[in-house]
Structure formats: structure tokens, C-alpha cells
């Protein structure tokens, strides 16, 4: 259900929104995890809404909070290196595999790197995915230095001249600065061989306002270039990703909506916004 | 980050104090502040609104007393705190053991909530209490969930019942059923059933969870939920309650800095107790749930108990002992040591978060905000780009070496220069200190740390001393508790 459906239903056929309607809009925005701050901003812009063009105006208001940056994977001269990062359990490994699958089915040659050497069976998990989608996985031993695995993968990717290298990393909470420093090291080490073209932060759609802190600190540590919002097949609306776009100008690039390899798509803002409003 | 409720309330009430009296519009303003703080903490909207109504009612009822009382701020704050603890801890209880073993514990929750890790932690927790748990691999969905549970089981020394390989192969209901039979025959007194993550809206998988439940009739179904969850906590908790049903809640990833307002939403809406908290990636990072700590956390108030624990963990490192020894021997303080210090400090978690846990941190707001956390990360990256020789003896750092280091760390040469300067100053002070036998507070600050936070491992003995103080309690049980805590 769209977050504004109730509001829009009330607004239809009215020339102005009465105070009760604002309450409904506020509730819907908050319930979608846009957070009190962004909600207040949107409400403020929405005060001038007139019933007739309410939908268009709302879409415009929301649009104005989205990032203007490109949502495409950025071009790389050589191998496109994508680093997948995020807090624990958001869907990094799954998304890395899904992205590899998407690129592969678009005709690119892709390699995966098992940069999570910490969590139990994380390497096996990515290898299982690699076998499933037919993409080779570069891995070291469990407990190996993640930067070393990433470095080996970069060298192998450069040698094989593949189009993309996607590096999975261990989940880490953004408030652990030693683990954040480790991520910075992975980045620097890879860049000795190949420039990193994308750092994608995976945000679970169920995440609340803490998502903003996650994005802020990951961006400081490794210069995040885009978001992947996962688990949109559930009941969560993932509004914190909009709050992140609005606050930090980091664009959502992909969405995950299921556990299968094809449950993944580039983010379409128009579709997303009209989905919010019209469903 | 520190515009927490406590800061706001302190502001509101200090202006009130000058007028002396609280009226109902003051209470309205306070309620608005509480509302936005709770929303910022991810408490579900419906819960926030009913909570605010309750607070308003109680505060208004207390108003006559507040007017004559001297400390209104304290009184209203107490009302809020008491109500929060009431909701969070109202129904607190321990696991119910089965009359006829094995006790069956089943875990359920969304994907990525932390069930498998929690299964290992629970197993260890009960193993340490003398139980004989068996872990059961009924997540046959997620790639290599079975392997993960096996690794976890091995590291805590608990056997894992895993007859099926998973990755989509095998029937989780049968596995759970067989596990129960197996556990009875081998006299395990507890089984812990790990299940696949599932969405509240996925009816097929919810039915599977119901089938597992019906097959093993758990004594406890624990709903495992990520402390970072937002407003969806309501829909999801309700879907699980109406679907498979559950008896208690476990909050995970509490070592993060999420305020964890979902705890309040879930406790309030389901009326079920939060029983455990999971707070780290190590299998010992697990505890029973403390409602008072959670209340402070949701209010952004500071959590002294957790702070003390984290500080102790960070300072109890081997490296601190090594450093003290070295220092006592009269060895010079090197960049290597400097790096180790920084590492120990980063282990303490986010510095600003730690500071924020202190009550009254609101007053230190400016100072805390000026402390640049990423400074530690930057400094570390520079030191890490140095060769061992350079770390031992920064005097060799000529221009070309500095340029190379800057390149390796992705920093400017100026950053390297300023670090070397800071370090030389710190080293000099260390030498002076050894001669005079004390640590000048200025040193910590020269290393970029706010006053009182900087000493790191070197002062660990000092900062740990109070914890080791002899108990004052004559009651042996109480003393034991003190020693443990
Ligand atoms: N329903 C749904 N589940 C997802 C989605 N993406 C990932 N998952 C599931 O979420 C769980 C965690 O996914 P992982 O990919 O292992 O997450 P991770 O971030 O790599 O986890 P760690 O490495 O342990 O931090 C798995 O059960 C995935 O199948 C999605 O878009 N929708
Ligand atoms: Mg992973």
C-alpha cells in the first residue's frame, strides 16, 4: 500500500486539505520511516497543496528531496570494481551475488570476491551463490586478512580483464571504528591495483532512523557512492533510504525484493514515488 | 546526535525553574519534545502517541505537587522513566524449562536478524549453566546457514543436529522432529531450533514456521529482532504473533548505536517480555535484558553500566599490559605504541557514543561534538602505511617517505606532517612523565582526545582500580554479585 493512499483519498475532490488531513499525511510519512525531520520538512512544503493537483505536487515535493546524482553504475576504464558494505545482516552477500547475476545477464563478465573472512561460513555462502549463478569467486581462507583477499581478487580481475569485480565484505556496525578502519584499508589496498568505481552501502528496508547514522559514517570511511535497499518485498517501506538521499545526497541505485537471484533491480525513482502515492 | 531528550528537557526545565511554576502549556511543550525524541528513537507512532497521553495525564495529576516541589524537571523525568521501565520490564521472566526434558527453544524472525548467531550464544549461555543443549539446523533456506551453525556450534562446544545439507534441500519440519527424538534418546536436556529468516507477509514460510512449532511444541518461541528496526517493528511483530506466535523477545545488535525504540513498541503491543539482549559478534556477547538500561538508551540518556563494561573490555587488552611493562622498563614510546593505543581506543566503540552514555553528557555537548571520531581512523591509516622502521624511528621520515605514506594512506602530506608533530610532542611528554612519574593530562589532549578520555591503555591500571576495590558488602551473596558485576 502506498504511504499516501489514505491521505490522497481524503484529498481527492477537495480544494484544500483540512487540518485532519495533515495529521494523516504526517502519520503515513512517519510510518514509512522517513523520520521526524524529513517528515516535518515535507509537511511544511505540502501546506500549500491544493486538492486538484495534490498528486503532482506531492510527487514534486518528494522528488525535490531525492538526490540528483546518477543512479547508473559508474563507468570504469578498466575493470569496474564494486565494494559492497553495510552493517550485519542487511543482505550484502545476497546483493553482491544478485548484482553479479544482473551484470552477467546483461552480457558482462563478472567476478566475485569473498571479502568476509570473519563471519562463520560467509565464504561458503558466497561460493554457493557463485556456483548457482555461474560466476567465479575469489576467496582466501576463513580468518584471512580481508584486505589481502581483496588485493588478490583485484590482481586476478585485472589479469582476466573481466568487466566487473564485486567484493563482498563482512558486516560491521558503523560505531566500531577499528572495523571501519579495516574497510578503509580494503579500499586502499584494492586501489593499488584497480580504482574502485562504486562503493554500495546495503540498507535493510526495515531499518529505522539509525540508517542515517550508518550512511553518514560509512560514507566518511569509504566514500559511499550509492545505496542498495533490500527486503522491499516485506512490509517495510524503506523510507529511511529517502531520508538518507535527502540528508546526504547518496542515490539509491538498486533494490532487492526477494531471496532469489532475480529479485533485484535498478532503482526507478519515478516508479517508486508513484508507487508510494498511488498504490 | 546529542540533541537527546535529556538535553532538551534540561533546557526546558532550566527556563521553567527561573519562573518557578509549571503550567499545563509547559507540559504540552515537554510532551512535544518527548514525542519527537521517541520518534527519533524509532518507537512506533501509535505507541508514541499513547505513551504521550499517559505521560500527560500523569504529569498533570502531579502538577499540584510539582508546583510546590523544588525539582520539577526531576519529577517529570522520573514519571517518564518509570513508565518506560514499566512497559519494557513489566513482564520480565526467565526461560521456562520443560517438566520432561528436553526443553525446546525455537527461534523465529526476519532475515538477517541474527538468529543463527543467537542460537550459538544461547547454547553457550545454557551450557555454562550446566545444561546440555543441542543445536538444530532447521534453516535449510539461506545458502550455507547449516555450515554457519556448525561452525558456531563447534566454537561453543555444542553439538549440532544437521542431517540435511540445506541450500534449499531438506525439510526443516522433519529435521526439527527428528532432533527431538534424537535429543530424547541421547539425553540432551535442551534443544535450540534455528529457523530460516522469513517475512511477516510471507504466508507460505509463516506456515512452515507453524508446522515446525506444531511438530516440536516449543516451551519457548523467541522472536529475534534487530535493534535497528524502525516503524515496521509493529507490522512484523504482529504478523509473527498472529502467525507462528511467540513467548518472548530477543533484541540483537545492541552493540550498535541504535536507540532501539522498537523494544518499547514490541513490548507494549505484544505484552510479551524482552528476555535477552545480544550485543556483539563474539559468542559471549550476550546478556539477560535490563529494562532500566533500555529505558535510558531510548531516552538517549546515557547508560553508565554499559559504558563501564565496554571500557573495561577495551582496556583489559593484552596490549595494555604489554605497554605498561614496556613503559616500566624504560623503553621509548614509539609510533607502534601510538597505533596500539589508538586501536585500543577504537575498540571502545564510538567515542562520541561512549561519551553520550554518560549522564549529564548534554552539558559537555560542544566538547563532544568537537571530538572528531574520524581523526582516529585517519591517524590509523597513516601509521598503517608506514614501514616497521618508520614506526620505530620517525626520525627517518624524510620528504619522499612522507609523500609515499600520504599516498598509501590516501591523505595529504600535511596530514602526515601534523601526525608526526603530534606524536613527537606526545613522545617528549612521555619521557618527561617517566622522569616525574605521572601522566600529565595535557598529553591525552595533545593526541587529539578530549580531557579525561585520552589516557588509554597506559592509565588502565588507574581507571580500573575502582572496579577492583574491595566490596563493602558484608553479605556474601551481594558481594559475589558485586564481584561479578
Ligand atoms: N526477503 C528478502 N530477503 C533478503 C533480501 N536480501 C537478502 N535477504 C536475506 O537476508 C538474509 C541475510 O542476507 P545476507 O546476504 O547473508 O546478509 P549479509 O549482509 O551478507 O549478512 P552478514 O554478512 O552476516 O552481515 C538472508 O537470509 C537473505 O536471503 C531481500 O531483498 N528480500
Ligand atoms: Mg555476508
Amino acid at each position: 500500500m502506498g504511504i499516501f493512499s489514505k491521505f490522497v483519498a481524503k484529498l481527492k475532490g477537495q480544494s484544500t486539505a483540512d487540518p485532519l488531513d495533515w495529521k494523516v499525511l504526517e502519520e503515513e510519512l512517519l510510518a514509512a520511516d522517513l523520520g521526524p525531520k524529513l517528515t516535518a520538512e515535507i509537511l511544511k512544503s505540502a501546506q500549500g497543496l491544493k486538492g486538484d493537483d495534490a498528486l503532482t505536487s506531492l510527487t514534486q515535493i518528494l522528488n525535490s528531496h531525492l538526490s540528483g546524482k546518477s543512479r547508473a553504475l559508474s563507468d570504469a576504464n578498466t575493470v569496474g570494481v564494486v565494494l559492497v558494505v553495510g552493517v550485519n545482516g542487511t543482505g550484502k552477500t545476497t546483493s553482491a551475488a544478485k548484482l553479479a547475476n544482473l551484470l552477467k545477464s546483461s552480457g558482462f563478465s563478472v567476478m566475485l570476491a569473498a571479502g568476509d573472512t570473519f563471519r562463520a561460513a560467509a565464504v561458503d555462502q558466497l561460493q554457493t551463490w557463485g556456483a548457482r549463478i555461474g560466476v567465479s569467486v575469489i576467496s582466501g581462507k576463513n580468518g584471512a586478512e580481508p584486505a589481502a583477499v581483496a588485493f588478490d581478487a583485484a590482481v586476478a580481475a585485472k589479469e582476466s580483464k573481466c568487466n566487473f569485480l564485486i567484493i563482498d565484505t563482512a558486516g560491521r556496525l558503523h560505531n566500531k571504528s577499528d572495523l571501519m578502519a579495516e574497510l578503509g584499508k580494503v579500499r586502499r589496498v584494492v586501489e593499488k591495483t584497480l580504482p574502485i568505481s562504486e562503493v554500495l552501502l546495503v540498507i535493510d528496508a526495515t531499518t529505522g532512523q539509525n540508517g542515517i547514522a550508518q550512511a553518514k559514517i560509512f560514507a566518511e570511511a569509504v566514500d559511499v557512492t550509492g545505496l542498495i535497499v533490500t527486503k522491499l518485498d516485506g512490509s517495510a517501506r524503506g523510507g529511511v533510504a529517502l531520508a538518507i538521499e535527502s540528508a546526504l545526497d547518496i542515490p539509491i541505485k538498486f533494490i532487492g525484493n526477494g531471496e532469489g537471484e532475480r529479485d533485484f533491480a535498478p532503482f526507478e525513482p519515478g516508479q517508486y514515488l508513484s508507487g508510494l502515492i498511488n498504490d | 546526535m546529542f540533541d537527546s531528550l535529556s538535553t532538551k528537557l534540561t533546557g526546558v526545565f532550566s527556563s521553567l525553574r527561573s519562573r518557578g511554576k509549571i503550567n499545563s502549556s509547559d507540559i504540552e511543550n515537554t510532551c512535544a519534545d518527548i514525542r519527537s525524541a521517541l520518534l527519533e528513537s524509532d518507537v512506533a507512532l501509535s505507541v508514541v502517541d499513547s505513551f504521550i497521553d499517559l505521560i500527560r495525564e500523569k504529569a498533570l495529576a502531579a502538577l499540584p505537587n510539582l508546583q510546590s516541589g523544588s525539582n520539577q524537571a526531576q519529577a517529570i523525568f522520573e514519571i517518564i522513566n518509570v513508565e518506560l521501565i514499566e512497559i519494557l520490564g513489566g513482564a520480565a521472566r526467565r526461560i521456562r524449562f520443560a517438566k520432561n526434558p528436553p526443553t525446546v527453544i525455537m527461534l523465529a524472525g526476519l532475515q538477517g536478524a541474527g538468529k543463527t548467531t543467537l542460537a550459538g550464544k544461547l547454547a553457550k549461555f545454557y551450557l555454562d549453566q550446566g545444561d546440555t543443549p543441542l543445536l538444530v539446523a532447521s534453516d535449510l533456506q539461506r545458502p550455507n546457514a547449516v555450515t554457519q551453525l556448525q561452525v558456531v556450534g563447534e566454537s561453543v562446544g555444542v553439538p549440532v543436529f544437521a542431517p540435511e545439507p540445506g541450500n534449499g534441500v531438506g525439510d526443516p519440519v522433519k529435521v526439527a522432529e527428528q532432533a527431538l527424538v534424537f535429543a530424547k534418546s541421547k539425553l540432551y536436556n535442551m534443544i535450540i531450533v534455528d529457523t530460516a529468516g522469513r517475512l511477516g507477509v510471507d504466508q507460505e514460510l509463516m506456515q512452515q514456521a507453524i508446522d515446525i512449532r506444531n511438530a516440536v511444541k516449543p516451551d519457548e518461541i523467541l522472536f529475534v529482532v534487530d535493534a535497528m528496526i524502525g516503524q515496521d517493528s509493529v507490522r512484523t511483530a504482529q504478523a509473527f504473533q498472529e502467525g507462528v506466535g511467540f513467548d518472548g523477545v530477543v533484541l540483537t545488535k545492541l552493540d550498535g548505536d541504535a536507540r532501539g525504540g522498537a523494544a518499547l513498541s514490541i513490548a507494549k503491543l505484544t505484552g510479551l517480555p524482552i528476555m535477552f539482549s545480544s550485543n556483539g559478534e563474539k559468542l559471549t556477547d550476550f546478556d539477560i535484558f535490563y529494562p532500566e538500561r533500555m529505558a535510558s538508551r531510548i531516552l538517549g540518556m546515557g547508560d553508565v553500566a554499559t559504558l563501564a563494561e565496554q571500557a573495561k573490555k577495551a582496556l583489559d587488552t593484552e596490549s595494555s599490559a604489554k605497554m605498561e611493562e614496556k613503559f616500566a622498563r624504560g623503553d621509548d614510546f614509539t609510533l607502534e605504541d601510538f597505533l596500539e593505543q589508538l586501536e585500543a581506543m577504537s575498540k571502545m566503540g564510538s567515542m562520541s557514543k561512549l561519551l553520550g552514555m554518560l549522564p549529564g553528557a548534554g552539558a559537555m555537548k560542544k566538547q563532544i561534538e568537537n571530538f572528531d571520531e574520524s581523526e582516529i581512523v585517519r591517524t590509523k591509516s597513516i601509521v598503517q602505511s608506514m614501514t616497521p622502521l618508520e614506526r620505530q624511528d620517525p626520525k627517518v621520515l624524510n620528504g619522499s617517505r612522507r609523500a609515499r605514506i600520504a599516498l598509501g594512506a590516501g591523505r595529504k602530506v600535511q596530514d602526515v606532517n601534523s601526525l608526526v608533530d603530534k606524536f613527537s610532542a606526545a613522545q617528549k611528554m612521555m619521557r618527561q612523565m617517566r622522569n616525574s612519574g605521572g601522566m600529565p593530562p595535557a598529553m591525552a589532549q595533545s593526541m587529539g582526545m578530549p580531557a579525561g578520555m585520552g589516557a588509554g591503555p597506559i592509565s588502565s591500571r588507574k581507571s580500573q582500580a575502582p572496579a577492583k576495590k574491595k566490596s563493602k558488602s558484608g553479605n556474601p551473596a551481594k558481594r559475589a554479585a558485586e564481584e561479578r558485576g
Side-chain angles (χ1 to χ4, degrees):
Chain A
M1 206 180 62
I3 61 171
F4 301 129
S5 50
K6 271 200 232 153
F7 177 68
V8 171
K10 288 212 166 189
L11 209 58
K12 265 185 190 141
Q14 289 189 12
S15 54
T16 50
D18 69 22
L20 188 74
D21 291 325
W22 299 121
K23 181 88 185 139
V24 174
L25 179 59
E26 185 194 23
E27 276 171 17
E28 295 190 333
L29 292 169
L30 287 172
D33 283 315
L34 269 75
K37 203 175 278 162
L38 182 56
T39 297
E41 277 174 39
I42 291 176
L43 276 179
K44 207 170 151 217
S45 333
Q47 300 290 331
L49 281 188
K50 292 280 181 286
D52 284 347
D53 55 0
L55 286 184
T56 331
S57 318
L58 260 180
T59 316
Q60 275 167 3
I61 291 168
L62 285 169
N63 231 328
S64 71
H65 286 278
L66 291 179
S67 167
K69 289 184 180 161
S70 161
R71 295 174 192 277
L73 276 188
S74 49
D75 287 328
N77 289 330
T78 49
V79 184
V81 181
V82 183
L83 193 61
V84 181
V85 303
V87 301
N88 311 76
T90 52
K92 290 173 296 302
T93 305
T94 311
S95 298
K98 287 173 177 178
L99 176 60
N101 186 58
L102 181 75
L103 290 168
K104 188 185 172 219
S105 50
S106 318
F108 293 107
S109 56
V110 191
M111 285 168 91
L112 280 163
D116 180 358
T117 55
F118 177 78
R119 207 209 64 200
V123 173
D124 311 65
Q125 187 186 352
L126 193 69
Q127 279 167 340
T128 301
W129 268 113
R132 192 179 288 176
I133 61 175
V135 167
S136 61
V137 178
I138 309 285
S139 59
K141 289 205 183 63
N142 271 329
E145 179 77 13
V149 177
F151 180 81
D152 290 347
V155 170
K158 192 176 181 181
E159 253 166 36
S160 80
K161 297 199 175 68
C162 64
N163 300 119
F164 286 97
L165 169 66
I166 300 168
I167 306 174
D168 183 26
T169 62
R172 66 199 76 225
L173 291 172
H174 52 285
N175 61 336
K176 312 220 160 157
S177 35
D178 52 341
L179 296 181
M180 295 310 285
E182 177 190 87
L183 206 53
K185 188 171 173 196
V186 168
R187 186 192 173 108
R188 286 192 303 279
V189 163
V190 169
E191 296 211 308
K192 284 181 184 157
T193 309
L194 287 169
I196 287 189
S197 47
E198 291 278 355
V199 179
L200 299 180
L201 173 68
V202 181
I203 297 279
D204 183 326
T206 59
T207 310
Q209 296 311 296
N210 191 248
I212 300 174
Q214 292 171 23
K216 194 160 174 273
I217 298 176
F218 270 97
E220 276 167 17
V222 281
D223 206 358
V224 174
T225 56
L227 305 179
I228 301 178
V229 183
T230 59
K231 309 186 195 172
L232 277 168
D233 47 328
S235 50
R237 282 106 181 219
V240 73
L242 287 187
I244 295 172
E245 281 219 22
S246 169
L248 302 171
D249 195 24
I250 302 174
I252 304 170
K253 295 202 166 176
F254 297 96
I255 57 163
N257 51 7
E259 296 191 78
E261 63 262 38
R262 283 211 255 328
D263 299 326
F264 192 74
F267 176 68
E268 301 280 358
Q271 199 180 323
Y272 180 75
L273 291 186
S274 69
L276 282 182
I277 294 171
N278 290 327
D279 277 11
Chain B
M1 192 190 271
F2 288 95
D3 282 331
S4 63
L5 185 58
S6 56
T7 319
K8 277 193 199 149
L9 289 185
T10 311
V12 171
F13 286 112
S14 60
S15 74
L16 287 181
R17 204 165 301 149
S18 54
R19 281 194 282 124
K21 279 186 182 177
I22 288 184
N23 59 34
S24 54
S25 85
D26 294 329
I27 293 196
E28 250 354 278
N29 291 340
T30 309
C31 285
D33 282 338
I34 300 170
R35 182 173 192 264
S36 72
L38 293 177
L39 286 171
E40 205 65 70
S41 298
D42 293 319
V43 181
L45 184 60
S46 58
V47 176
V48 172
D49 286 340
S50 67
F51 187 75
I52 296 293
D53 290 344
L54 182 74
I55 297 301
R56 183 185 294 112
E57 192 184 305
K58 299 234 161 177
L60 285 173
L63 200 57
N65 307 332
L66 293 179
Q67 278 172 318
S68 53
S70 59
N71 203 342
Q72 301 104 326
Q74 199 56 37
I76 294 210
F77 204 86
E78 265 314 295
I79 294 176
I80 301 170
N81 205 33
V82 164
E83 291 306 323
L84 272 181
I85 294 173
E86 168 79 28
I87 297 173
L88 287 168
R93 62 172 181 84
R94 297 302 177 82
I95 286 279
R96 284 179 296 239
F97 280 85
K99 281 201 194 76
N100 303 313
T103 298
V104 178
I105 300 175
M106 170 177 170
L107 306 182
L110 292 174
Q111 289 94 341
K115 288 176 293 302
T116 308
T117 309
L118 177 73
K121 291 180 178 185
L122 275 171
K124 168 141 184 60
F125 184 77
Y126 286 107
L127 182 73
D128 290 349
Q129 300 192 4
D131 294 303
T132 50
L134 173 72
L135 284 161
V136 181
S138 276
D139 177 356
L140 303 178
Q141 187 101 358
R142 208 205 66 200
N144 295 84
V146 174
T147 338
Q148 186 186 350
L149 191 68
Q150 280 166 330
V151 174
V152 162
E154 191 169 327
S155 62
V156 293
V158 170
V160 179
F161 185 78
E164 295 286 359
N167 300 340
V169 178
D171 177 355
V173 183
K174 287 221 175 78
V175 168
E177 228 163 28
Q178 290 164 4
L180 191 55
V181 175
F182 179 81
K184 275 183 188 151
S185 72
K186 301 279 183 209
L187 302 178
Y188 289 99
N189 82 342
M190 171 184 281
I191 71 172
I192 300 167
V193 184
D194 183 26
T195 65
R198 64 201 78 229
L199 295 168
V201 296
D202 189 332
Q203 282 172 4
E204 197 179 317
L205 283 181
M206 193 57 81
Q207 185 57 46
Q208 181 198 68
I210 294 170
D211 294 342
I212 297 176
R213 177 196 74 195
N214 293 344
V216 296
K217 307 210 168 36
D219 299 283
E220 296 279 357
I221 301 178
L222 299 179
F223 177 56
V224 184
V225 60
D226 187 323
M228 292 178 275
I229 193 172
Q231 299 284 326
D232 189 56
S233 62
V234 175
R235 287 178 290 256
T236 294
Q238 276 166 353
F240 273 82
Q241 195 176 22
E242 285 159 17
V244 63
F246 55 87
D247 310 291
V249 180
V250 182
L251 278 182
T252 63
K253 308 182 200 172
L254 275 167
D255 48 328
D257 60 3
R259 293 263 178 83
L264 191 70
S265 312
I266 295 172
K268 173 85 182 161
L269 291 172
T270 65
L272 291 167
I274 302 171
M275 300 177 71
F276 300 104
S277 63
S278 182
N279 51 10
E281 296 192 76
K282 285 199 300 299
L283 292 162
T284 46
D285 294 331
F286 175 77
D287 210 338
I288 55 173
F289 177 77
Y290 298 101
E292 314 76 36
R293 293 189 186 184
M294 199 65 215
S296 311
R297 185 176 178 131
I298 291 175
L299 291 174
M301 268 301 291
D303 175 350
V304 184
T306 305
L307 173 68
E309 265 165 28
Q310 294 199 359
K312 192 152 176 278
K313 256 191 216 165
L315 296 175
D316 264 350
T317 53
E318 230 178 273
S319 74
S320 75
K322 249 188 0 212
M323 188 99 69
E324 276 172 35
E325 220 174 82
K326 200 173 163 196
F327 194 59
R329 270 204 313 270
D331 293 357
D332 212 351
F333 179 75
T334 64
L335 265 168
E336 202 85 62
D337 302 329
F338 190 51
L339 182 64
E340 264 184 45
Q341 267 203 346
L342 286 177
E343 262 156 11
M345 295 200 38
S346 8
K347 272 197 208 122
M348 289 180 66
S350 150
M351 207 52 73
S352 37
K353 176 195 154 209
L354 281 170
L355 289 168
M357 285 184 191
L358 291 168
M364 287 163 55
K365 187 166 180 275
K366 265 275 110 41
Q367 236 173 314
I368 293 169
E369 274 171 0
N370 288 342
F371 177 70
D372 183 1
E373 183 114 11
S374 50
E375 184 68 31
I376 292 190
V377 178
R378 273 198 291 277
T379 305
K380 261 178 85 167
S381 71
I382 295 175
V383 177
Q384 277 164 340
S385 299
M386 295 180 178
T387 64
L389 171 74
E390 290 162 348
R391 291 185 203 181
Q392 282 300 322
D393 186 11
K395 280 198 238 25
V396 304
L397 289 171
N398 56 20
S400 69
R401 281 180 188 264
R402 288 182 192 216
R404 192 209 72 238
I405 292 165
L407 194 69
R411 301 288 159 202
K412 297 202 191 71
V413 176
Q414 289 98 291
D415 296 335
V416 180
N417 293 342
S418 107
L419 168 65
V420 174
D421 291 347
K422 266 191 200 168
F423 167 73
S424 311
Q427 191 184 41
K428 208 168 119 200
M429 238 178 290
M430 279 293 196
R431 288 182 187 136
Q432 283 171 358
M433 185 170 83
R434 182 161 42 230
N435 298 336
S436 64
M439 168 113 158
M443 192 204 104
Q445 280 168 47
S446 78
M447 293 162 122
M449 301 155 195
M453 280 310 294
I458 297 220
S459 70
S460 63
R461 203 161 267 163
K462 267 187 225 157
S463 55
Q464 271 169 252
K468 285 180 189 154
K469 241 188 235 157
K470 284 260 164 60
S471 168
K472 295 229 161 60
S473 175
N475 173 342
K478 203 168 163 198
R479 193 165 60 227
E482 278 174 7
E483 274 159 13
R484 253 183 279 126

